[in-house]
Amino acid sequence: MADLTVTITEDLTINSAEVGGSNTKTITGITDAYKRTITCTNGQETTIATFAANEYTSAGALDLGNVKYLRITNVDTTNEVEVGYVLDRSGGGNFQITVKSGDSHILYAAEQIATIEADTSPAFGELDDISSIIVRPVQAADVRVELFVASI
């Protein structure tokens, strides 16, 4: 087992005053790491990860209950991508974000992580699991993304 240390640092000085900060999180008990760089083809949707209750239930699935850290980084120097997190719920559902060139999106779990609502008043109810992550380039170019997952 190993410890994963994640440090997020903002280095910003405005009018000679430091206003940035640094936060460090240590995740203990990591036994599995999954890292790959994927070319996401322009005009296509690329599934970069799938999740299941157990890894053996579907080909290539990550055990969603064991995921403790998930990072998607757009390693392209110019183009952005849209990332769709498909949720495991009856009737389906997803949420989407844009990851600009050089930026990352981080989650600290894949289980009970998000929900979809059609209104502007959060109910703060039960959250859904992620079943897959799909990436689509925004501009007319292929884009490479890096996926890193650490699990217990």
Side-chain angles (χ1 to χ4, degrees):
M1 288 191 284
D3 293 346
L4 171 65
T5 303
V6 179
T7 303
I8 298 174
T9 302
E10 296 96 12
D11 185 9
L12 178 63
T13 303
I14 298 177
N15 297 327
S16 302
E18 173 61 42
V19 294
S22 184
N23 291 286
T24 300
K25 178 178 180 76
T26 300
I27 304 165
T28 60
I30 299 297
T31 58
D32 294 312
Y34 179 78
K35 182 178 181 181
R36 70 185 279 217
T37 303
I38 308 109
T39 298
C40 299
T41 304
N42 170 47
Q44 302 298 316
E45 296 178 354
T46 303
T47 300
I48 64 168
T50 60
F51 302 85
N54 296 292
E55 293 158 330
Y56 57 81
T57 59
S58 61
L62 299 165
D63 186 322
L64 70 96
N66 288 343
V67 172
K68 299 301 175 194
Y69 179 82
L70 185 152
R71 175 183 50 81
I72 298 170
T73 298
N74 179 350
V75 297
D76 194 89
T77 58
T78 306
N79 301 293
E80 57 192 48
V81 294
E82 294 175 330
V83 178
Y85 293 91
V86 179
L87 302 179
D88 183 20
R89 65 187 328 199
S90 60
N94 72 85
F95 71 95
Q96 301 164 38
I97 62 164
T98 298
V99 180
K100 296 186 184 290
S101 63
D103 290 354
S104 297
H105 189 251
I106 297 172
L107 296 173
Y108 288 92
E111 188 174 50
Q112 298 178 352
I113 194 70
T115 193
I116 306 301
E117 293 181 344
D119 58 34
T120 58
S121 299
F124 297 109
E126 184 177 341
L127 300 178
D128 297 309
D129 304 334
I130 296 174
S131 64
S132 64
I133 302 172
I134 302 171
V135 174
R136 185 184 72 160
V138 174
Q139 287 84 12
D142 295 352
V143 177
R144 294 179 58 78
V145 298
E146 181 179 87
L147 172 67
F148 178 73
V149 180
S151 302
I152 57 170

